[in-house]
Amino acid sequence: RTDRKRLGVSTKEALIDALISRYGSVFRAWREVLDPTGRDRLSWGEFTYVFRRLGLSGDLQGLWSQLDTEQLGIIRLADLDEDLDALWSDMRASFKQEHGNMLRAWM
């Protein structure tokens, strides 16, 4: 018996598709679910917790290996989408330069 609510995700591309399907964008999924505290990284334990919390199934170890290509023991937004990470980094740097910190930038 297969659980229809669980989505099989074993590749980086399938994970990105699942995140976009549920959250509308990789960025929103990163900020709301994968890295809600803004630490800019996700550990193996956090990754497995979120993966299951989202109702995903698949080859977790294989997917982790695809994402953690530098074998740092963490994944970052850049591991999901390098261009998006570069845009977010530029935006944060611009906000910090203009407003001093991120909080002031949003006020």
Side-chain angles (χ1 to χ4, degrees), residues 47-79:
F47 177 73
T48 59
Y49 172 78
V50 169
F51 195 84
R52 287 194 171 69
R53 184 173 149 227
L54 292 175
L56 303 175
S57 65
D59 178 9
L60 275 169
Q61 284 282 6
L63 180 55
W64 180 264
S65 294
Q66 289 177 50
L67 297 170
D68 184 21
T69 57
E70 296 176 36
Q71 298 181 340
L72 299 173
I74 59 167
I75 57 171
R76 302 158 299 172
L77 179 58
D79 297 318

PDB file of all heavy atoms in Angstrom, residues 47-79:
ATOM      1  N   PHE A  47      17.343  18.684   7.949  1.00  0.00           N
ATOM      2  CA  PHE A  47      16.892  18.278   6.619  1.00  0.00           C
ATOM      3  C   PHE A  47      15.945  17.083   6.705  1.00  0.00           C
ATOM      4  O   PHE A  47      14.870  17.097   6.100  1.00  0.00           O
ATOM      5  CB  PHE A  47      18.110  17.948   5.746  1.00  0.00           C
ATOM      6  CG  PHE A  47      17.776  17.453   4.378  1.00  0.00           C
ATOM      7  CD1 PHE A  47      17.287  18.309   3.411  1.00  0.00           C
ATOM      8  CD2 PHE A  47      17.981  16.118   4.040  1.00  0.00           C
ATOM      9  CE1 PHE A  47      16.992  17.852   2.138  1.00  0.00           C
ATOM     10  CE2 PHE A  47      17.694  15.655   2.768  1.00  0.00           C
ATOM     11  CZ  PHE A  47      17.190  16.527   1.817  1.00  0.00           C
ATOM     12  N   THR A  48      16.324  16.059   7.456  1.00  0.00           N
ATOM     13  CA  THR A  48      15.467  14.874   7.554  1.00  0.00           C
ATOM     14  C   THR A  48      14.149  15.207   8.253  1.00  0.00           C
ATOM     15  O   THR A  48      13.095  14.708   7.861  1.00  0.00           O
ATOM     16  CB  THR A  48      16.177  13.708   8.269  1.00  0.00           C
ATOM     17  OG1 THR A  48      16.566  14.117   9.575  1.00  0.00           O
ATOM     18  CG2 THR A  48      17.400  13.241   7.498  1.00  0.00           C
ATOM     19  N   TYR A  49      14.204  16.067   9.265  1.00  0.00           N
ATOM     20  CA  TYR A  49      12.985  16.491   9.963  1.00  0.00           C
ATOM     21  C   TYR A  49      12.033  17.200   9.002  1.00  0.00           C
ATOM     22  O   TYR A  49      10.842  16.877   8.934  1.00  0.00           O
ATOM     23  CB  TYR A  49      13.348  17.395  11.149  1.00  0.00           C
ATOM     24  CG  TYR A  49      12.138  18.022  11.790  1.00  0.00           C
ATOM     25  CD1 TYR A  49      11.329  17.281  12.652  1.00  0.00           C
ATOM     26  CD2 TYR A  49      11.798  19.344  11.525  1.00  0.00           C
ATOM     27  CE1 TYR A  49      10.203  17.853  13.240  1.00  0.00           C
ATOM     28  CE2 TYR A  49      10.673  19.910  12.107  1.00  0.00           C
ATOM     29  CZ  TYR A  49       9.882  19.170  12.957  1.00  0.00           C
ATOM     30  OH  TYR A  49       8.774  19.730  13.523  1.00  0.00           O
ATOM     31  N   VAL A  50      12.551  18.177   8.267  1.00  0.00           N
ATOM     32  CA  VAL A  50      11.720  18.941   7.340  1.00  0.00           C
ATOM     33  C   VAL A  50      11.198  18.042   6.226  1.00  0.00           C
ATOM     34  O   VAL A  50      10.028  18.126   5.839  1.00  0.00           O
ATOM     35  CB  VAL A  50      12.504  20.145   6.749  1.00  0.00           C
ATOM     36  CG1 VAL A  50      11.753  20.787   5.599  1.00  0.00           C
ATOM     37  CG2 VAL A  50      12.803  21.166   7.826  1.00  0.00           C
ATOM     38  N   PHE A  51      12.035  17.169   5.723  1.00  0.00           N
ATOM     39  CA  PHE A  51      11.660  16.257   4.641  1.00  0.00           C
ATOM     40  C   PHE A  51      10.431  15.447   5.052  1.00  0.00           C
ATOM     41  O   PHE A  51       9.453  15.351   4.312  1.00  0.00           O
ATOM     42  CB  PHE A  51      12.846  15.332   4.348  1.00  0.00           C
ATOM     43  CG  PHE A  51      12.761  14.590   3.046  1.00  0.00           C
ATOM     44  CD1 PHE A  51      13.168  15.172   1.863  1.00  0.00           C
ATOM     45  CD2 PHE A  51      12.304  13.280   3.024  1.00  0.00           C
ATOM     46  CE1 PHE A  51      13.121  14.473   0.667  1.00  0.00           C
ATOM     47  CE2 PHE A  51      12.252  12.571   1.832  1.00  0.00           C
ATOM     48  CZ  PHE A  51      12.656  13.175   0.654  1.00  0.00           C
ATOM     49  N   ARG A  52      10.473  14.893   6.231  1.00  0.00           N
ATOM     50  CA  ARG A  52       9.353  14.080   6.719  1.00  0.00           C
ATOM     51  C   ARG A  52       8.147  14.945   7.094  1.00  0.00           C
ATOM     52  O   ARG A  52       7.002  14.560   6.875  1.00  0.00           O
ATOM     53  CB  ARG A  52       9.806  13.221   7.878  1.00  0.00           C
ATOM     54  CG  ARG A  52      10.692  12.089   7.386  1.00  0.00           C
ATOM     55  CD  ARG A  52      10.908  11.009   8.403  1.00  0.00           C
ATOM     56  NE  ARG A  52      11.567   9.846   7.847  1.00  0.00           N
ATOM     57  CZ  ARG A  52      12.820   9.779   7.431  1.00  0.00           C
ATOM     58  NH1 ARG A  52      13.579  10.849   7.475  1.00  0.00           N
ATOM     59  NH2 ARG A  52      13.325   8.662   6.964  1.00  0.00           N
ATOM     60  N   ARG A  53       8.401  16.094   7.669  1.00  0.00           N
ATOM     61  CA  ARG A  53       7.320  17.007   8.038  1.00  0.00           C
ATOM     62  C   ARG A  53       6.518  17.436   6.812  1.00  0.00           C
ATOM     63  O   ARG A  53       5.307  17.648   6.888  1.00  0.00           O
ATOM     64  CB  ARG A  53       7.901  18.227   8.746  1.00  0.00           C
ATOM     65  CG  ARG A  53       6.846  19.175   9.247  1.00  0.00           C
ATOM     66  CD  ARG A  53       7.478  20.283  10.090  1.00  0.00           C
ATOM     67  NE  ARG A  53       6.658  21.465   9.924  1.00  0.00           N
ATOM     68  CZ  ARG A  53       7.110  22.655   9.677  1.00  0.00           C
ATOM     69  NH1 ARG A  53       8.387  22.890   9.591  1.00  0.00           N
ATOM     70  NH2 ARG A  53       6.291  23.668   9.538  1.00  0.00           N
ATOM     71  N   LEU A  54       7.206  17.569   5.678  1.00  0.00           N
ATOM     72  CA  LEU A  54       6.536  17.935   4.440  1.00  0.00           C
ATOM     73  C   LEU A  54       5.816  16.755   3.788  1.00  0.00           C
ATOM     74  O   LEU A  54       5.159  16.909   2.772  1.00  0.00           O
ATOM     75  CB  LEU A  54       7.542  18.523   3.440  1.00  0.00           C
ATOM     76  CG  LEU A  54       8.138  19.872   3.816  1.00  0.00           C
ATOM     77  CD1 LEU A  54       9.210  20.282   2.818  1.00  0.00           C
ATOM     78  CD2 LEU A  54       7.054  20.933   3.905  1.00  0.00           C
ATOM     79  N   GLY A  55       5.969  15.576   4.386  1.00  0.00           N
ATOM     80  CA  GLY A  55       5.327  14.391   3.843  1.00  0.00           C
ATOM     81  C   GLY A  55       6.033  13.841   2.624  1.00  0.00           C
ATOM     82  O   GLY A  55       5.424  13.174   1.792  1.00  0.00           O
ATOM     83  N   LEU A  56       7.327  14.109   2.519  1.00  0.00           N
ATOM     84  CA  LEU A  56       8.104  13.627   1.382  1.00  0.00           C
ATOM     85  C   LEU A  56       8.707  12.268   1.704  1.00  0.00           C
ATOM     86  O   LEU A  56       8.950  11.945   2.862  1.00  0.00           O
ATOM     87  CB  LEU A  56       9.214  14.626   1.039  1.00  0.00           C
ATOM     88  CG  LEU A  56       8.756  16.050   0.725  1.00  0.00           C
ATOM     89  CD1 LEU A  56       9.964  16.956   0.521  1.00  0.00           C
ATOM     90  CD2 LEU A  56       7.852  16.077  -0.484  1.00  0.00           C
ATOM     91  N   SER A  57       8.951  11.507   0.690  1.00  0.00           N
ATOM     92  CA  SER A  57       9.652  10.241   0.840  1.00  0.00           C
ATOM     93  C   SER A  57      10.655  10.135  -0.293  1.00  0.00           C
ATOM     94  O   SER A  57      10.607  10.897  -1.247  1.00  0.00           O
ATOM     95  CB  SER A  57       8.664   9.064   0.796  1.00  0.00           C
ATOM     96  OG  SER A  57       8.061   8.993  -0.485  1.00  0.00           O
ATOM     97  N   GLY A  58      11.567   9.193  -0.170  1.00  0.00           N
ATOM     98  CA  GLY A  58      12.560   9.013  -1.219  1.00  0.00           C
ATOM     99  C   GLY A  58      13.909   8.684  -0.628  1.00  0.00           C
ATOM    100  O   GLY A  58      14.037   8.395   0.565  1.00  0.00           O
ATOM    101  N   ASP A  59      14.920   8.729  -1.458  1.00  0.00           N
ATOM    102  CA  ASP A  59      16.291   8.405  -1.072  1.00  0.00           C
ATOM    103  C   ASP A  59      16.935   9.621  -0.417  1.00  0.00           C
ATOM    104  O   ASP A  59      17.571  10.434  -1.083  1.00  0.00           O
ATOM    105  CB  ASP A  59      17.075   7.962  -2.307  1.00  0.00           C
ATOM    106  CG  ASP A  59      18.531   7.660  -2.015  1.00  0.00           C
ATOM    107  OD1 ASP A  59      18.925   7.613  -0.836  1.00  0.00           O
ATOM    108  OD2 ASP A  59      19.280   7.476  -2.997  1.00  0.00           O
ATOM    109  N   LEU A  60      16.757   9.738   0.893  1.00  0.00           N
ATOM    110  CA  LEU A  60      17.290  10.899   1.626  1.00  0.00           C
ATOM    111  C   LEU A  60      18.803  11.011   1.515  1.00  0.00           C
ATOM    112  O   LEU A  60      19.332  12.098   1.287  1.00  0.00           O
ATOM    113  CB  LEU A  60      16.904  10.808   3.102  1.00  0.00           C
ATOM    114  CG  LEU A  60      15.544  11.361   3.476  1.00  0.00           C
ATOM    115  CD1 LEU A  60      15.182  10.959   4.887  1.00  0.00           C
ATOM    116  CD2 LEU A  60      15.532  12.851   3.343  1.00  0.00           C
ATOM    117  N   GLN A  61      19.504   9.911   1.702  1.00  0.00           N
ATOM    118  CA  GLN A  61      20.979   9.937   1.631  1.00  0.00           C
ATOM    119  C   GLN A  61      21.446  10.370   0.247  1.00  0.00           C
ATOM    120  O   GLN A  61      22.360  11.186   0.118  1.00  0.00           O
ATOM    121  CB  GLN A  61      21.570   8.564   1.967  1.00  0.00           C
ATOM    122  CG  GLN A  61      21.561   8.230   3.421  1.00  0.00           C
ATOM    123  CD  GLN A  61      22.680   8.931   4.185  1.00  0.00           C
ATOM    124  OE1 GLN A  61      23.412   9.767   3.659  1.00  0.00           O
ATOM    125  NE2 GLN A  61      22.795   8.607   5.445  1.00  0.00           N
ATOM    126  N   GLY A  62      20.827   9.803  -0.784  1.00  0.00           N
ATOM    127  CA  GLY A  62      21.202  10.169  -2.149  1.00  0.00           C
ATOM    128  C   GLY A  62      20.913  11.625  -2.455  1.00  0.00           C
ATOM    129  O   GLY A  62      21.722  12.312  -3.079  1.00  0.00           O
ATOM    130  N   LEU A  63      19.767  12.104  -1.995  1.00  0.00           N
ATOM    131  CA  LEU A  63      19.402  13.505  -2.200  1.00  0.00           C
ATOM    132  C   LEU A  63      20.359  14.426  -1.455  1.00  0.00           C
ATOM    133  O   LEU A  63      20.826  15.419  -1.999  1.00  0.00           O
ATOM    134  CB  LEU A  63      17.961  13.743  -1.740  1.00  0.00           C
ATOM    135  CG  LEU A  63      17.423  15.155  -1.876  1.00  0.00           C
ATOM    136  CD1 LEU A  63      17.554  15.668  -3.309  1.00  0.00           C
ATOM    137  CD2 LEU A  63      15.975  15.209  -1.399  1.00  0.00           C
ATOM    138  N   TRP A  64      20.687  14.060  -0.212  1.00  0.00           N
ATOM    139  CA  TRP A  64      21.645  14.851   0.576  1.00  0.00           C
ATOM    140  C   TRP A  64      22.982  14.936  -0.156  1.00  0.00           C
ATOM    141  O   TRP A  64      23.588  16.004  -0.239  1.00  0.00           O
ATOM    142  CB  TRP A  64      21.824  14.247   1.965  1.00  0.00           C
ATOM    143  CG  TRP A  64      22.787  15.006   2.816  1.00  0.00           C
ATOM    144  CD1 TRP A  64      24.108  14.727   2.999  1.00  0.00           C
ATOM    145  CD2 TRP A  64      22.520  16.190   3.570  1.00  0.00           C
ATOM    146  NE1 TRP A  64      24.676  15.667   3.837  1.00  0.00           N
ATOM    147  CE2 TRP A  64      23.718  16.570   4.205  1.00  0.00           C
ATOM    148  CE3 TRP A  64      21.382  16.957   3.785  1.00  0.00           C
ATOM    149  CZ2 TRP A  64      23.812  17.683   5.027  1.00  0.00           C
ATOM    150  CZ3 TRP A  64      21.472  18.072   4.604  1.00  0.00           C
ATOM    151  CH2 TRP A  64      22.682  18.423   5.221  1.00  0.00           C
ATOM    152  N   SER A  65      23.431  13.824  -0.715  1.00  0.00           N
ATOM    153  CA  SER A  65      24.707  13.806  -1.445  1.00  0.00           C
ATOM    154  C   SER A  65      24.664  14.722  -2.666  1.00  0.00           C
ATOM    155  O   SER A  65      25.658  15.363  -2.996  1.00  0.00           O
ATOM    156  CB  SER A  65      25.054  12.388  -1.880  1.00  0.00           C
ATOM    157  OG  SER A  65      25.294  11.587  -0.753  1.00  0.00           O
ATOM    158  N   GLN A  66      23.528  14.779  -3.326  1.00  0.00           N
ATOM    159  CA  GLN A  66      23.380  15.669  -4.483  1.00  0.00           C
ATOM    160  C   GLN A  66      23.447  17.133  -4.061  1.00  0.00           C
ATOM    161  O   GLN A  66      23.942  17.976  -4.814  1.00  0.00           O
ATOM    162  CB  GLN A  66      22.045  15.423  -5.184  1.00  0.00           C
ATOM    163  CG  GLN A  66      21.949  14.125  -5.925  1.00  0.00           C
ATOM    164  CD  GLN A  66      20.568  13.950  -6.516  1.00  0.00           C
ATOM    165  OE1 GLN A  66      20.051  14.844  -7.185  1.00  0.00           O
ATOM    166  NE2 GLN A  66      19.970  12.791  -6.265  1.00  0.00           N
ATOM    167  N   LEU A  67      22.935  17.427  -2.875  1.00  0.00           N
ATOM    168  CA  LEU A  67      22.895  18.816  -2.405  1.00  0.00           C
ATOM    169  C   LEU A  67      24.184  19.237  -1.715  1.00  0.00           C
ATOM    170  O   LEU A  67      24.666  20.348  -1.910  1.00  0.00           O
ATOM    171  CB  LEU A  67      21.700  19.009  -1.459  1.00  0.00           C
ATOM    172  CG  LEU A  67      20.332  18.799  -2.091  1.00  0.00           C
ATOM    173  CD1 LEU A  67      19.251  18.779  -1.017  1.00  0.00           C
ATOM    174  CD2 LEU A  67      20.047  19.872  -3.127  1.00  0.00           C
ATOM    175  N   ASP A  68      24.738  18.367  -0.892  1.00  0.00           N
ATOM    176  CA  ASP A  68      25.960  18.681  -0.128  1.00  0.00           C
ATOM    177  C   ASP A  68      27.188  18.218  -0.915  1.00  0.00           C
ATOM    178  O   ASP A  68      27.951  17.373  -0.472  1.00  0.00           O
ATOM    179  CB  ASP A  68      25.902  18.017   1.247  1.00  0.00           C
ATOM    180  CG  ASP A  68      27.082  18.383   2.140  1.00  0.00           C
ATOM    181  OD1 ASP A  68      27.733  19.412   1.889  1.00  0.00           O
ATOM    182  OD2 ASP A  68      27.357  17.619   3.080  1.00  0.00           O
ATOM    183  N   THR A  69      27.377  18.813  -2.083  1.00  0.00           N
ATOM    184  CA  THR A  69      28.453  18.375  -2.975  1.00  0.00           C
ATOM    185  C   THR A  69      29.842  18.662  -2.413  1.00  0.00           C
ATOM    186  O   THR A  69      30.799  17.982  -2.760  1.00  0.00           O
ATOM    187  CB  THR A  69      28.319  19.033  -4.363  1.00  0.00           C
ATOM    188  OG1 THR A  69      28.323  20.456  -4.201  1.00  0.00           O
ATOM    189  CG2 THR A  69      27.043  18.588  -5.051  1.00  0.00           C
ATOM    190  N   GLU A  70      29.951  19.654  -1.541  1.00  0.00           N
ATOM    191  CA  GLU A  70      31.246  19.985  -0.941  1.00  0.00           C
ATOM    192  C   GLU A  70      31.501  19.184   0.334  1.00  0.00           C
ATOM    193  O   GLU A  70      32.546  19.342   0.965  1.00  0.00           O
ATOM    194  CB  GLU A  70      31.313  21.489  -0.639  1.00  0.00           C
ATOM    195  CG  GLU A  70      31.245  22.344  -1.890  1.00  0.00           C
ATOM    196  CD  GLU A  70      31.227  23.823  -1.556  1.00  0.00           C
ATOM    197  OE1 GLU A  70      31.897  24.233  -0.591  1.00  0.00           O
ATOM    198  OE2 GLU A  70      30.535  24.575  -2.263  1.00  0.00           O
ATOM    199  N   GLN A  71      30.540  18.346   0.700  1.00  0.00           N
ATOM    200  CA  GLN A  71      30.632  17.495   1.889  1.00  0.00           C
ATOM    201  C   GLN A  71      30.963  18.302   3.142  1.00  0.00           C
ATOM    202  O   GLN A  71      31.819  17.933   3.935  1.00  0.00           O
ATOM    203  CB  GLN A  71      31.625  16.364   1.664  1.00  0.00           C
ATOM    204  CG  GLN A  71      31.218  15.451   0.532  1.00  0.00           C
ATOM    205  CD  GLN A  71      32.178  14.322   0.310  1.00  0.00           C
ATOM    206  OE1 GLN A  71      33.337  14.367   0.716  1.00  0.00           O
ATOM    207  NE2 GLN A  71      31.703  13.276  -0.335  1.00  0.00           N
ATOM    208  N   LEU A  72      30.200  19.386   3.335  1.00  0.00           N
ATOM    209  CA  LEU A  72      30.368  20.246   4.498  1.00  0.00           C
ATOM    210  C   LEU A  72      29.505  19.803   5.671  1.00  0.00           C
ATOM    211  O   LEU A  72      29.649  20.304   6.773  1.00  0.00           O
ATOM    212  CB  LEU A  72      30.020  21.697   4.138  1.00  0.00           C
ATOM    213  CG  LEU A  72      30.864  22.357   3.051  1.00  0.00           C
ATOM    214  CD1 LEU A  72      30.289  23.713   2.685  1.00  0.00           C
ATOM    215  CD2 LEU A  72      32.301  22.486   3.524  1.00  0.00           C
ATOM    216  N   GLY A  73      28.553  18.907   5.404  1.00  0.00           N
ATOM    217  CA  GLY A  73      27.631  18.483   6.448  1.00  0.00           C
ATOM    218  C   GLY A  73      26.457  19.430   6.612  1.00  0.00           C
ATOM    219  O   GLY A  73      25.680  19.308   7.545  1.00  0.00           O
ATOM    220  N   ILE A  74      26.329  20.362   5.693  1.00  0.00           N
ATOM    221  CA  ILE A  74      25.209  21.312   5.667  1.00  0.00           C
ATOM    222  C   ILE A  74      24.806  21.550   4.221  1.00  0.00           C
ATOM    223  O   ILE A  74      25.587  21.297   3.303  1.00  0.00           O
ATOM    224  CB  ILE A  74      25.560  22.678   6.310  1.00  0.00           C
ATOM    225  CG1 ILE A  74      26.741  23.323   5.569  1.00  0.00           C
ATOM    226  CG2 ILE A  74      25.810  22.554   7.792  1.00  0.00           C
ATOM    227  CD1 ILE A  74      26.982  24.779   5.906  1.00  0.00           C
ATOM    228  N   ILE A  75      23.582  22.018   4.046  1.00  0.00           N
ATOM    229  CA  ILE A  75      23.201  22.527   2.731  1.00  0.00           C
ATOM    230  C   ILE A  75      22.814  23.986   2.907  1.00  0.00           C
ATOM    231  O   ILE A  75      22.370  24.408   3.972  1.00  0.00           O
ATOM    232  CB  ILE A  75      22.085  21.704   2.052  1.00  0.00           C
ATOM    233  CG1 ILE A  75      20.833  21.634   2.909  1.00  0.00           C
ATOM    234  CG2 ILE A  75      22.585  20.328   1.675  1.00  0.00           C
ATOM    235  CD1 ILE A  75      19.654  21.015   2.191  1.00  0.00           C
ATOM    236  N   ARG A  76      23.029  24.730   1.849  1.00  0.00           N
ATOM    237  CA  ARG A  76      22.728  26.157   1.826  1.00  0.00           C
ATOM    238  C   ARG A  76      21.793  26.440   0.669  1.00  0.00           C
ATOM    239  O   ARG A  76      21.603  25.591  -0.199  1.00  0.00           O
ATOM    240  CB  ARG A  76      24.024  26.953   1.652  1.00  0.00           C
ATOM    241  CG  ARG A  76      25.044  26.679   2.754  1.00  0.00           C
ATOM    242  CD  ARG A  76      26.429  27.005   2.317  1.00  0.00           C
ATOM    243  NE  ARG A  76      26.734  26.151   1.156  1.00  0.00           N
ATOM    244  CZ  ARG A  76      27.818  26.261   0.415  1.00  0.00           C
ATOM    245  NH1 ARG A  76      28.699  27.174   0.678  1.00  0.00           N
ATOM    246  NH2 ARG A  76      28.022  25.452  -0.613  1.00  0.00           N
ATOM    247  N   LEU A  77      21.238  27.626   0.640  1.00  0.00           N
ATOM    248  CA  LEU A  77      20.368  28.010  -0.462  1.00  0.00           C
ATOM    249  C   LEU A  77      21.094  27.829  -1.791  1.00  0.00           C
ATOM    250  O   LEU A  77      20.508  27.379  -2.772  1.00  0.00           O
ATOM    251  CB  LEU A  77      19.888  29.450  -0.291  1.00  0.00           C
ATOM    252  CG  LEU A  77      18.978  30.008  -1.377  1.00  0.00           C
ATOM    253  CD1 LEU A  77      17.719  29.153  -1.542  1.00  0.00           C
ATOM    254  CD2 LEU A  77      18.611  31.453  -1.067  1.00  0.00           C
ATOM    255  N   ALA A  78      22.375  28.141  -1.818  1.00  0.00           N
ATOM    256  CA  ALA A  78      23.157  27.999  -3.059  1.00  0.00           C
ATOM    257  C   ALA A  78      23.190  26.556  -3.553  1.00  0.00           C
ATOM    258  O   ALA A  78      23.316  26.319  -4.751  1.00  0.00           O
ATOM    259  CB  ALA A  78      24.581  28.502  -2.841  1.00  0.00           C
ATOM    260  N   ASP A  79      23.053  25.607  -2.643  1.00  0.00           N
ATOM    261  CA  ASP A  79      23.041  24.206  -3.051  1.00  0.00           C
ATOM    262  C   ASP A  79      21.754  23.840  -3.775  1.00  0.00           C
ATOM    263  O   ASP A  79      21.729  22.890  -4.554  1.00  0.00           O
ATOM    264  CB  ASP A  79      23.241  23.293  -1.839  1.00  0.00           C
ATOM    265  CG  ASP A  79      24.596  23.515  -1.182  1.00  0.00           C
ATOM    266  OD1 ASP A  79      25.597  23.652  -1.914  1.00  0.00           O
ATOM    267  OD2 ASP A  79      24.646  23.557   0.052  1.00  0.00           O
TER     268      ASP A  79
END
